[in-house]
Amino acid sequence: MASVPKLSSVFTWILYFIPVYIFILEPILRPIFPDKTEPSEVTTWESEVLLDDWEETKPALNLEDDSFISPEDDVPINCPGEAPGYKLHLLSRTPLIMYIENFVSDEEADHLVDISLNKYSPSIVYDGVTERVDPSKRLSDRALLDRDDTVRCLEERARAFQGWRPHLYIERMWAQRYNASGHYRHHYDWVGSLAHGGDRLSTFMVYLGADCVGGGTNFPRLRMPPGEQWCQFLECEPEGQPAQEGITFKPIKGNAIFWENLRPDGTGYPETWHAAFPVSEGTKVGLNIWSWYQPPRRMSQKGT
Ligand SMILES: *[C@@H]1O[C@H](CO)[C@@H](O)[C@H](O)[C@H]1NC(C)=O
């Protein structure tokens, strides 16, 4: 007759097994059967974008087109007049909006204004089909900047700020000059075209020259953050004054607003609706740094 183990010896074996499991077996097994909740690597930047709808006839943006984007090449990055660093202030997590103090140094800002002179032409508006000048919507002049050392340095600063995200392409930079009465009505920087090839993922709005009254950058759908420190950068209504809609950034030379235009699924954030309020005196010069996002094209499986 087979002997049944005594209850006490079963307990003894369990007691021996517990430390063996904790200190020996579990560490050996963990790499083989990883815990699903444990992050195994940094979350990738790749957005979940529905690309299957891409029609093969619709060409994506030509990434070699250096009149629109600034291709990365072998020209060494050299940063004359670079300031030691910038300060960041988080304004919103969704959409991501950061305020950047001293994004460009005074020397860099003055240089960028200098190279823009003699290159200005009236700014255009784009309605999805045609480009035209429409002073009721947008009254300013714009200048395409040559890619000199300072501009290339800023391209790299913008890439680094965004963590060298793959498939992100810095557009050629434009300076925008607003004279008295210059303005830009509320608009989005994104067009909702990601599924057709690419779209503007993010915007840096940099103030290069702010010798002006008025000319704030208004976001009517954002709310004033708590903390009176923000009154350095945002218009704060004095007591008893009618509140402006949303929040308005003061133009301050060298500082920048950074925001993301697109959600992870590629659709645009309605909160990024913004305007350049009219300049009432003087001149404002702004610099747009737009990041075009174009994930690799996945061909439709149809007919293959
Ligand atoms: C702004 O002022 C400059 C210099 O006076 C002038 O050449 C330019 O045409 C003006 N632009 C607009 C849009 O009024």
Side-chain angles (χ1 to χ4, degrees):
M1 201 176 157
S3 67
V4 176
K6 277 198 221 131
L7 200 57
S8 64
S9 71
V10 171
F11 272 122
T12 311
W13 277 108
I14 288 174
L15 277 179
Y16 279 125
F17 183 73
I18 288 171
V20 169
Y21 176 79
I22 289 176
F23 295 109
I24 301 169
L25 281 177
E26 204 273 341
I28 292 173
L29 294 177
R30 195 190 315 195
I32 306 171
F33 304 106
D35 183 349
K36 290 268 182 339
T37 61
E38 191 178 314
S40 53
E41 55 182 301
V42 173
T43 313
T44 65
W45 284 118
E46 220 53 82
S47 299
E48 280 300 314
V49 183
L50 297 172
L51 300 178
D52 282 339
D53 292 341
W54 260 350
E55 291 165 35
E56 278 149 52
T57 50
K58 245 179 204 143
L61 177 76
N62 175 8
L63 298 175
E64 313 283 297
D65 175 5
D66 62 6
S67 68
F68 184 73
I69 66 148
S70 315
E72 285 179 74
D73 50 29
D74 298 330
V75 177
I77 307 282
N78 166 29
C79 295
E82 188 177 32
Y86 46 74
K87 279 192 192 173
L88 290 177
H89 309 288
L90 179 67
L91 193 132
S92 160
R93 291 175 64 189
T94 315
L96 182 63
I97 306 175
M98 309 275 267
Y99 191 80
I100 317 171
E101 265 185 276
N102 300 314
F103 188 65
V104 299
S105 67
D106 275 0
E107 198 178 327
E108 288 171 323
D110 292 343
H111 171 78
L112 293 168
V113 170
D114 279 351
I115 62 168
S116 71
L117 298 173
N118 308 319
K119 285 175 166 281
Y120 283 102
S121 60
S123 300
I124 47 106
V125 289
Y126 179 66
D127 59 13
V129 185
T130 53
E131 295 185 334
R132 67 205 149 81
V133 174
D134 181 349
S136 72
K137 288 211 171 99
R138 185 181 197 186
L139 178 63
S140 67
D141 297 303
R142 61 175 194 159
L144 183 63
L145 300 181
D146 289 331
R147 296 180 70 199
D148 70 0
D149 279 351
T150 302
V151 169
R152 285 172 178 275
C153 177
L154 266 186
E155 291 167 3
E156 179 50 27
R157 199 172 300 165
R159 283 192 199 99
F161 185 94
Q162 299 178 84
W164 302 280
R165 184 172 176 159
H167 315 303
L168 180 144
Y169 306 92
I170 306 294
E171 290 184 31
R172 290 288 304 276
M173 288 182 206
W174 293 86
Q176 309 279 343
R177 184 179 62 193
Y178 296 84
N179 298 341
S181 84
H183 67 100
Y184 192 175
R185 286 255 208 99
H186 288 99
H187 64 281
Y188 296 119
D189 289 350
W190 51 270
V191 288
S193 58
L194 192 59
H196 303 304
D199 204 347
R200 280 191 182 133
L201 178 78
S202 67
T203 301
F204 291 86
M205 166 69 239
V206 191
Y207 300 108
L208 298 180
D211 290 328
C212 62
V213 179
T217 308
N218 174 251
F219 288 77
R221 296 174 185 166
L222 297 180
R223 275 200 284 162
M224 190 72 191
E228 63 187 33
Q229 294 87 339
W230 278 106
C231 296
Q232 299 168 76
F233 314 122
L234 295 170
E235 302 283 359
C236 289
E237 298 295 328
E239 285 294 335
Q241 293 271 312
Q244 282 171 342
E245 234 195 313
I247 63 174
T248 305
F249 291 89
K250 302 172 187 179
I252 301 174
K253 181 178 174 178
N255 293 3
I257 317 162
F258 170 83
W259 69 90
E260 284 193 344
N261 289 304
L262 303 182
R263 295 191 185 92
D265 71 359
T267 57
Y269 282 115
E271 294 91 338
T272 62
W273 185 244
H274 65 285
F277 274 169
V279 168
S280 45
E281 274 172 44
T283 307
K284 177 178 88 170
V285 184
L287 175 76
N288 296 118
I289 309 176
W290 285 305
S291 297
W292 188 264
Y293 181 62
Q294 181 165 290
R297 204 177 161 117
R298 181 152 37 97
M299 281 301 179
S300 149
Q301 297 302 302
K302 276 177 286 178
T304 55

